[in-house]
Amino acid sequence: KIEDALRESEKKYRELADSLPQVVFEIDETGKIIYINKNAFDLFLYTKDEFDKGVNVIQVIIPEDRDRAIQNMQSVLNGVELGGLEYTALRHDGTTFPVLIHSNLVTHNAKPIGIRGLLIDISKQKKMEADLKRLALAIDYSSDTIVITDTRGVVIYANPAFEKITGYSRKEAQGKNVSIVQSGKHDKSFYRELWGTISNGKTWFGRFINKKKDGSRYIEDANISPVFSDKGKIVNYVAVKRDVTEKLKLE
């Protein structure tokens, strides 16, 4: 009965592990993989038979990360909790991908016998981070003013071009309403039409006569667009503006 109960418990554990989108693994104190769920077969391009014959966890990590992985593995075996650790994993065909590993010590009779853990493919997350960095660089190097506000018009982000053109630092602008650059040259109906357009989910195009921090006026062409949440609710506004003062003077 005890053996039957153990087999049933192990069956449930394996079914649960196989249903997870992450890789569940267990290694002995030498690093040999003694259990891995089926998601690992597609992710690492090893067959079940190849894993069963014996694969060391170090084999699925790039050479540059192996010394660090061995040191961390020893730390876990010594009872140190390390939390999530990032590595570059190595597939059977030589291709690589970034992973995050969470691991815990496995003991028997109070003695360490191995490590059990969860491995998460973070390729999409890393790609998104890289895309965001590229986008941030593009915005920072743009000669156009780019300002992001909340739905009340309070500035939550302004790029370096905003500082150069208005004379306000980004720190000064953050938390302030975009009205800090208003010159008084536009009447209430002008702003009413602008807010009516963007609050209805449309992009507004127009020209501002605004005022710099030093009080001098400048002219800029602008388009202001709403930003929607996944549920279709407006959560922010993005303004892209170009200083056309000198261009108009030349004309």
Side-chain angles (χ1 to χ4, degrees):
K1 286 180 180 179
I2 291 170
E3 287 173 356
D4 286 344
L6 284 171
R7 279 194 291 270
E8 183 62 27
S9 177
E10 184 179 354
K11 180 172 177 288
K12 288 179 180 178
Y13 167 78
R14 290 180 183 274
E15 286 175 351
L16 177 61
D18 282 340
S19 70
L20 293 173
Q22 299 88 6
V23 171
V24 179
F25 68 90
E26 189 171 333
I27 60 175
D28 64 18
E29 65 274 18
T30 69
K32 181 183 176 183
I33 297 171
I34 56 177
Y35 170 75
I36 202 155
N37 66 339
K38 65 181 183 181
N39 285 332
F41 309 148
D42 291 333
L43 192 58
F44 286 97
L45 305 180
Y46 282 89
T47 65
K48 185 178 184 304
D49 288 340
E50 286 171 324
F51 273 120
D52 289 343
K53 286 176 184 176
V55 175
N56 194 288
V57 70
I58 298 303
Q59 291 175 242
V60 297
I61 295 174
I62 63 169
E64 296 87 341
D65 281 356
R66 286 175 184 172
D67 286 344
R68 182 167 62 92
I70 291 168
Q71 290 173 4
N72 290 334
M73 186 170 66
Q74 194 57 52
S75 294
V76 174
L77 289 169
N78 290 334
V80 179
E81 294 184 9
L82 298 178
L85 298 170
E86 286 190 24
Y87 299 98
T88 300
L90 181 66
R91 293 190 180 93
H92 200 15
D93 66 355
T95 57
T96 62
F97 62 102
V99 296
L100 182 68
I101 297 178
H102 296 271
S103 55
N104 293 295
L105 179 65
V106 179
T107 60
H108 181 68
N109 293 330
K111 291 182 180 180
I113 60 169
I115 296 170
R116 186 179 294 132
L118 197 67
L119 179 146
I120 305 165
D121 179 0
I122 56 174
S123 301
K124 289 181 180 178
Q125 178 185 327
K126 287 293 182 182
K127 183 181 181 302
M128 190 178 296
E129 287 175 3
D131 289 344
L132 286 172
K133 284 179 181 177
R134 281 193 291 269
L135 179 60
L137 281 172
I139 290 172
D140 279 350
Y141 283 105
S142 173
S143 59
D144 291 341
T145 297
I146 299 172
V147 177
I148 301 173
T149 74
D150 65 13
T151 53
R152 297 169 299 152
V154 174
V155 177
I156 58 177
Y157 171 82
N159 71 336
F162 173 87
E163 295 180 309
K164 184 178 178 181
I165 293 168
T166 68
Y168 288 98
S169 69
R170 288 189 279 181
K171 189 175 181 181
E172 286 177 306
Q174 284 174 355
K176 301 282 197 327
N177 195 281
V178 286
S179 60
I180 61 171
V181 295
Q182 286 182 10
S183 64
K185 288 290 183 178
H186 303 288
D187 58 23
K188 290 182 180 179
S189 63
F190 175 87
Y191 294 107
R192 196 160 45 241
E193 187 269 331
L194 186 162
W195 280 100
T197 300
I198 60 176
S199 61
N200 282 319
K202 298 176 183 178
T203 299
W204 179 88
F205 298 90
R207 177 169 288 177
F208 289 109
I209 300 172
N210 279 335
K211 185 172 65 175
K212 298 183 181 185
K213 186 179 179 181
D214 64 8
S216 61
R217 292 190 175 92
Y218 66 102
I219 304 168
E220 56 186 0
D221 287 338
N223 66 77
I224 304 174
S225 303
V227 178
F228 297 92
S229 68
D230 293 339
K231 296 180 180 178
K233 182 182 177 182
I234 296 174
V235 290
N236 294 106
Y237 295 110
V238 178
V240 180
K241 301 185 285 183
R242 176 166 295 180
D243 185 351
V244 293
T245 310
E246 293 303 317
K247 178 187 172 185
L248 292 175
K249 282 181 181 179
L250 288 169
E251 288 177 355

